[in-house]
């Protein structure tokens, strides 16, 4: 077979590229469906997310994507793994499961999470993270050994003066951060660093202050100080240091 004739795993197994059928048939006589993990092209995984995810659309890219097939050979879920969205996690040794979507097939979600960590770990990454919404139990993650790291309070939105963004449908929703990690992984950032990173609450840079204050709407650079007093104090300290 020539290289031009090689098909993607989804093409080879289902015969047609991007074949995403409906909800999987229930197992016969209550028998648990056998699940098989396959690699997916980003196009196929993104199509699955658009079709199956409850509140998110496809991301812009990935490092790798995985699919899960039931015993009938039907694609019943997909996981997309990419660079961490938060810059404080993006050190080259960590990845993030940015999307997991299934059609409700039992154990498909936990199978994808487990396979995502095995794949990332085998590739040399030290940590894999993901987020769930505060209302979600996280049972699929706990089932395959993921640990809950932190609960992040709801944020008003992702819009910022430096980068305007539309409401993505998940604003004002609390999130839970989860991880799988190998020994030797760097320590996770503190909650204060995480909250500053998402740019919803800014930590004042005034000498001796450091208290959080909300991001102010409008054009221009994000504020660095919570008050005029802190700004003046920082300006004077910089002059003395110079």
């Amino acid at each position: 077979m020539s290289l031009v004739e090689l098909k993607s795993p989804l093409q080879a197994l289902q015969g047609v590229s991007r074949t995403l059928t409906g909800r999987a048939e229930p197992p016969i006589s209550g028998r648990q469906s056998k699940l098989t993990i396959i690699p997916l092209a980003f196009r196929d995984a993104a199509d699955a997310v658009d079709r199956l995810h409850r509140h998110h659309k496809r991301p812009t890219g990935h490092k790798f994507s995985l699919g899960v097939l039931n015993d009938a050979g039907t694609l019943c879920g997909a996981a997309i793994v990419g660079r961490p969205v938060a810059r404080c996690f993006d050190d080259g040794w960590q990845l993030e499961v940015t999307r997991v979507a299934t059609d409700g097939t039992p154990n498909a979600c936990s199978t994808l999470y487990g396979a995502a960590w095995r794949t990332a770990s085998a590739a040399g990454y030290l940590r894999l993270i993901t987020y769930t919404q505060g209302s979600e139990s996280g049972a699929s993650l706990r089932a395959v050994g993921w640990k809950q790291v932190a609960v992040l309070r709801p944020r008003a939105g992702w819009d910022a003066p430096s980068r305007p963004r539309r409401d993505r449908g998940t604003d004002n929703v609390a999130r839970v951060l989860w991880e799988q990690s190998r020994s030797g992984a760097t320590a996770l950032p503190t909650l204060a660093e995480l909250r500053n990173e998402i740019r919803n609450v800014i930590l004042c840079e005034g000498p001796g202050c450091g208290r959080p204050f909300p991001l102010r709407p409008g054009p221009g650079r994000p504020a660095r100080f919570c008050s005029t007093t802190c700004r003046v104090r920082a300006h004077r300290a910089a002059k003395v240091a110079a």
Side-chain angles (χ1 to χ4, degrees):
M1 179 183 288
S2 69
L3 289 178
V4 224
E5 296 171 326
L6 287 176
K7 297 180 179 180
S8 73
L10 191 57
Q11 285 177 296
L13 287 165
Q14 295 187 329
V16 181
S17 176
R18 295 187 289 169
T19 299
L20 300 177
T21 61
R23 190 168 293 273
E25 292 296 323
I28 301 173
S29 305
R31 179 174 56 84
Q32 174 62 52
S33 179
K34 179 183 177 182
L35 301 176
T36 306
I37 290 291
I38 63 167
L40 277 187
F42 177 68
R43 179 180 62 178
D44 295 321
D47 284 350
V49 167
D50 287 343
R51 180 184 181 91
L52 301 172
H53 207 288
R54 291 182 296 114
H55 49 261
H56 273 309
K57 297 300 182 185
R58 64 177 65 196
T60 55
H62 77 160
K63 286 289 188 179
F64 65 87
S65 294
L66 301 172
V68 60
L69 304 176
N70 60 19
D71 49 10
T74 302
L75 183 71
C76 56
I80 298 178
V81 180
R83 290 171 53 189
V85 176
R87 289 167 295 178
C88 55
F89 288 132
D90 192 12
D91 60 2
W93 294 100
Q94 305 180 68
L95 291 179
E96 178 178 336
V97 180
T98 55
R99 300 288 188 276
V100 166
T102 74
D103 64 0
T105 298
N107 298 330
C109 196
S110 54
T111 300
L112 285 167
Y113 277 122
W117 169 237
R118 292 193 301 272
T119 304
S121 179
Y125 289 97
L126 300 181
R127 176 179 284 113
L128 186 62
I129 62 170
T130 195
Y131 297 90
T132 58
Q133 293 194 349
S135 59
E136 297 170 334
S137 68
S140 297
L141 289 155
R142 289 191 181 92
V144 285
W146 285 66
K147 295 180 295 182
Q148 181 177 312
V149 176
V151 178
L152 303 175
R153 71 192 184 310
R155 55 168 295 142
W158 292 89
D159 185 51
S162 57
R163 187 176 178 185
R165 303 182 197 179
R166 293 176 297 177
D167 184 348
R168 300 190 292 185
T170 54
D171 298 336
N172 299 302
V173 175
R175 296 178 302 151
V176 181
L177 174 63
W178 302 79
E179 72 156 354
Q180 278 270 32
S181 60
R182 293 166 56 186
S183 58
T186 55
L188 286 166
T190 64
L191 270 179
E193 291 173 309
L194 281 175
R195 287 169 179 164
N196 192 40
E197 174 68 28
I198 62 176
R199 306 301 287 173
N200 188 35
V201 170
I202 309 301
L203 301 182
C204 178
E205 297 181 18
C209 185
R211 69 179 182 181
F213 65 97
L215 177 67
R216 296 173 186 139
R221 295 179 180 177
R224 297 170 53 203
F225 308 103
C226 64
S227 64
T228 304
T229 304
C230 282
R231 181 172 54 80
V232 171
R233 190 182 294 130
H235 179 67
R236 288 174 178 169
K239 287 182 69 176
V240 170

